[in-house]
Amino acid sequence: EKGGFDHFMLKEIYEQPRSIKDCMRGRIYPEEGKVQLGGIKEFAEKLKNIDRIIIVACGTSWHAGLVGEYLIEEYARIPVEVEYASEFRYRNPIITEKDVVIAISQSGETADTMAAIEMAKERGATIFGICNVAGASIPRLTHAGVYTHAGPEIGVASTKAFTAQVTVLTLMAFYMAQQKGTITTSKLIELLTELDHIPEKIQVALESNDLVKEVAEKIKDSTNCLFLGRGSGFPVALEGALKLKEISYIHAEGYPAAEMKHGPIALIDEEMPVVFIATQNSSYEKVISNIQEVKARKGKVIAIVTQGDTEVKKMADYCIEIPDAKEAFLPLLATIPLQLLSYHIAVMRGCNVDQPRNLAKSVTVE
Ligand code: F6R
């Protein structure tokens, strides 16, 4: 049932070109520059006039929410707040009838996310769900929603569900932009045409596997690891760190790269691997100076770079290339080598990759 792979996690990592394709099927029309989301169609009019979106989720799904924040604010120009469901529900938050709450959950059974939905619903908000498991509790609690269609995820560490959540949020951002008129049809044609080809680019990103394995070999005995990124590379860094800690038990932290000098830089020495999301986007130059700061302190730099990069290669100890893409789609690609990295490190350390200690696939207690 693992389809020839040693673990479900690896199988699910390799399924992503297909799972993302399934997630987009029937929802994007690149030639027309149109997005259709049947699940939230009834709210198409309402979306023209919303003041604010609150995203609630836990763990990896919360990281997807952070990517969603960048995309929705960039394209639909609606202010977005991303909240841990557990904090949101206990904070007496300000919610009005004009708010839309998006709850993200792979399992659709996470107790804190369900409680956050119930509270927001009582206060009159419209609730959308982004779930992977059809008919689970969360889709039944929400007013409307969009399924991720990633297929069953068996590995406890979320991989293909995360990229499918990011894909749905990308579609939602474009859909809202289309409804609000904050994007032109020609721009949508351009974006959707590229999005349509992202599954093939993910396939190419997966080809870094052998190189990633070599890097894993070099850093597998580390006790700590930092992941740094800027812009939408920041949630990717958070997700890379979470994956590493949950399956390999190496202490890892994700930070916005510019925050490094406000504290974490004190940790850097020759023992500290630092993984950078250093792709060629709007924050490229800034990330390069952050890499220089780490190198000056003898940290080991592993960089996720755009194919053909030459600048970062001069500085980094290891560079892992991913295909070039518009900034909006970089999280989908940059996540792939990080999933592979944590997988190989965990295997090399003899960890139970599919069922890490102390973790369960769905957290139904608060
Ligand atoms: C990490 C992981 C968890 C879940 C979190 C939320 O790999 O799987 O952090 O993302 O427990 O679960 P869902 O998305 O089912 O609500």
Side-chain angles (χ1 to χ4, degrees), residues 58-61 105-108 110 156-158 165 242-243 246 363:
C58 305
T60 286
S61 299
S105 174
Q106 187 286 129
S107 63
T110 301
V156 164
S158 188
Q165 289 164 344
L242 178 61
K243 239 36 357 155
E246 68 182 325
V363 183

Side-chain angles (χ1 to χ4, degrees), residues 125-314:
T126 301
I127 324 284
F128 292 168
I130 299 179
C131 278
N132 196 44
V133 178
S137 304
I138 289 176
R140 281 185 276 125
L141 279 174
T142 53
H143 296 112
V146 180
Y147 280 114
T148 41
H149 295 312
E153 191 179 63
I154 313 290
V156 164
S158 188
T159 53
K160 64 173 179 171
F162 172 74
T163 48
Q165 289 164 344
V166 170
T167 304
V168 166
L169 286 159
T170 308
L171 298 181
M172 276 190 172
F174 294 164
Y175 184 75
M176 289 173 185
Q178 172 185 290
Q179 294 313 114
K180 284 197 67 182
T182 51
I183 196 163
T184 61
T185 304
S186 61
K187 183 76 190 158
L188 260 176
I189 290 174
E190 193 187 312
L191 286 163
L192 295 176
T193 304
E194 181 163 337
L195 180 60
D196 203 23
H197 291 286
I198 287 294
E200 292 132 63
K201 291 191 179 183
I202 289 183
Q203 193 65 51
V204 175
L206 286 165
E207 287 165 15
S208 68
N209 187 49
D210 290 346
L211 175 60
V212 173
K213 211 167 158 179
E214 282 171 37
V215 176
E217 186 61 50
K218 304 277 191 221
I219 64 169
K220 68 175 197 310
D221 298 318
S222 307
T223 45
N224 295 287
C225 188
L226 273 182
F227 288 76
L228 303 176
R230 301 178 81 116
S232 60
F234 164 52
V236 173
L238 289 176
E239 176 58 9
L242 178 61
K243 239 36 357 155
L244 187 64
K245 68 187 124 182
E246 68 182 325
I247 63 168
S248 77
Y249 317 140
I250 293 175
H251 170 237
E253 292 200 57
Y255 261 97
E259 276 295 304
M260 186 179 61
K261 58 181 160 303
H262 300 286
I265 198 162
L267 293 167
I268 293 168
D269 61 16
E270 53 284 327
E271 303 294 313
M272 177 67 97
V274 185
V275 181
F276 275 96
I277 315 304
T279 48
Q280 277 161 14
N281 53 37
S282 56
S283 49
Y284 182 62
E285 298 299 330
K286 301 271 179 201
V287 171
I288 286 184
S289 44
N290 297 139
I291 294 177
Q292 281 162 341
E293 287 156 13
V294 171
K295 278 320 298 174
R297 287 157 187 88
K298 304 201 165 55
K300 250 182 267 171
V301 170
I302 297 122
I304 309 302
V305 299
T306 306
Q307 237 163 28
D309 182 279
T310 53
E311 283 304 298
V312 177
K313 273 194 192 133
K314 290 182 209 152

